[in-house]
């Protein structure tokens, strides 16, 4: 097994004023090369916290987080990140936004142009290179964000609810686009979401997280054939997988609700 990302007993505790908050406790997971894995859980369960650590922008307070077998010590161009909110520079064009990350490296301008063009093509933004973010719809902006994360040709994409702010129609189109990107770029994806259908439609495997402190409650293999379309959602296996995951979430939500009330 060729594991890209491995979390071993990962814990994360934050200091909030005078108290400590455990956001994540004893979290174990792995993502194999070329796999599409989702981390599914309720709001506040530590999904973003985990992704930040996988990106190397924050660190576990216990346990270990490994990428290609080595402990993550900081950000790397091998791991591209896509956030939920639009993180583009409004004063830069689409092409300039995508190019921005490349400028830190001493790549010749012609090579930068090639990589930007490749990224633009992958997400179907041809013709919009000179547009500014304000001129684009939400879905288009997230395409730019994906293109920007892809421009380094990272080994892995880390995505934090990237379609959470989009309407249902656009979201479906973006999910299809992401699957095409994943297949053509042959990359590995760890995708954070609180949407069960999104997790099932996209993933090879889904990790269901518990409410805080976040840990893995269940691991579900999504053995639905690809390519998956809107029609996949009406197959018996889809319905069964959905019920299985919802059951886990329901038990968990009840537990969280009860502990809040007490
Ligand atoms: P999710 O992304 O699943 O909604 P988060 O990872 O954002 O959840 O947050 C998990 C918990 O950790 C929350 O209770 C949040 O308040 C806490 N938390 C996250 N980041 C910080 C931080 N930088 N400082 C203090 N507490 C934090
Ligand atoms: Mg979050």
């Amino acid at each position: 097994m060729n594991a890209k990302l491995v979390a071993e007993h990962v814990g994360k505790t934050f200091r909030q004023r005078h108290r400590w908050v455990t956001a994540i406790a004893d979290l174990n997971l792995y993502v194999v090369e070329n796999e599409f894995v989702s981390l599914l859980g309720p709001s506040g369960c530590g999904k973003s916290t985990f992704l930040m650590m996988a990106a190397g922008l924050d660190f576990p307070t216990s346990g270990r987080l490994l990428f290609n077998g080595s402990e993550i010590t900081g950000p790397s161009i091998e791991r591209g990140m896509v956030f939920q909110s639009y993180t583009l520079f409004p004063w830069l064009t689409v092409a300039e936004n995508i190019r921005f990350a490349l400028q830190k490296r001493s790549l010749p301008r012609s090579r930068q142009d090639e990589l930007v063009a490749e990224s633009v093509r992958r997400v179907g933004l041809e013709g919009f290179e000179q547009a500014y973010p304000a001129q684009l719809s939400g879905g288009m902006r997230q395409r730019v964000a994906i293109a920007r994360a892809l421009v380094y040709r990272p080994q892995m994409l880390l995505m934090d609810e990237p379609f959470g702010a989009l309407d249902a129609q656009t979201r479906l189109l973006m999910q299809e686009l992401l699957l095409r990107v994943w297949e053509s770029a042959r990359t590995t994806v760890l995708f954070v979401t609180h949407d069960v259908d999104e997790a099932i439609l996209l993933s090879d495997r889904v990790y269901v997280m518990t409410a805080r402190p976040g840990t893995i409650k269940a691991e579900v293999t999504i053995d639905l054939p690809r390519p998956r379309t809107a029609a996949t959602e009406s197959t018996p296996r889809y319905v069964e997988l959905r019920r299985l995951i919802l059951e886990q979430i329901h038990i968990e939500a009840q537990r969280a609700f009860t502990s809040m009330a007490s």
Side-chain angles (χ1 to χ4, degrees), residues 44-57:
C45 78
K47 302 183 298 296
S48 296
T49 301
F50 182 79
L51 221 58
M52 290 296 274
M53 296 191 292
L57 298 167

Side-chain angles (χ1 to χ4, degrees), residues 1-226:
M1 190 178 72
N2 200 352
K4 277 275 141 211
L5 184 78
V6 178
E8 288 177 352
H9 309 291
V10 166
K12 179 70 179 176
T13 302
F14 289 110
R15 196 188 168 103
Q16 287 182 351
R17 296 182 185 233
H18 304 297
R19 64 194 185 115
W20 294 89
V21 173
T22 300
I24 292 175
D26 196 26
L27 188 151
N28 296 283
L29 63 74
Y30 65 90
V31 183
V32 175
E33 186 167 6
N34 290 329
E35 220 184 358
F36 197 121
V37 172
S38 286
L39 203 49
L40 174 70
S43 166
C45 78
K47 302 183 298 296
S48 296
T49 301
F50 182 79
L51 221 58
M52 290 296 274
M53 296 191 292
L57 298 167
D58 202 347
F59 301 94
T61 39
S62 58
R64 296 202 308 161
L65 205 45
L66 308 172
F67 184 70
N68 288 333
S70 305
E71 201 146 350
I72 294 172
T73 54
S76 158
I77 55 166
E78 298 301 353
R79 298 185 302 277
M81 181 102 181
V82 182
F83 301 90
Q84 172 175 355
S85 51
Y86 311 127
T87 48
L88 305 176
F89 295 118
W91 60 87
L92 296 182
T93 64
V94 166
E96 287 163 352
N97 264 287
I98 298 169
R99 184 193 300 277
F100 184 80
L102 288 176
Q103 287 168 347
K104 279 184 260 168
R105 286 169 66 194
S106 49
L107 288 175
R109 179 80 188 191
S110 58
R111 181 65 186 139
Q112 288 184 19
D113 287 343
E114 272 170 32
L115 288 170
V116 170
E118 176 188 274
S119 248
V120 161
R121 234 179 4 254
R122 282 212 191 282
V123 299
L125 278 171
E126 298 103 322
F128 293 91
E129 291 90 339
Q130 301 316 314
Y132 286 90
Q135 299 171 299
L136 303 177
S137 66
M140 293 289 269
R141 285 184 215 174
Q142 277 311 62
R143 282 202 221 186
V144 182
I146 294 170
R148 190 181 52 186
L150 284 171
V151 75
Y152 274 122
R153 297 183 171 173
Q155 294 179 24
M156 187 160 191
L157 278 182
L158 303 168
M159 311 186 82
D160 193 356
E161 310 206 38
F163 310 143
L166 304 175
D167 60 82
Q169 293 268 285
T170 308
R171 193 171 179 146
L172 195 63
L173 293 172
M174 290 299 289
Q175 288 163 350
E176 288 171 4
L177 175 115
L178 176 61
L179 286 177
R180 284 199 301 274
V181 166
W182 168 62
E183 275 158 19
S184 71
R186 298 210 58 73
T187 183
T188 307
V189 180
L190 180 59
F191 188 96
V192 157
T193 181
H194 63 259
D195 185 314
V196 180
D197 291 300
E198 181 167 69
I200 300 176
L201 188 73
L202 295 174
S203 312
D204 295 320
R205 276 186 307 123
V206 175
Y207 284 107
V208 182
M209 282 184 80
T210 60
R212 214 180 67 213
T215 193
I216 304 298
K217 173 163 177 72
E219 179 199 338
V220 181
T221 298
I222 309 300
D223 50 7
L224 296 166
R226 296 186 189 269

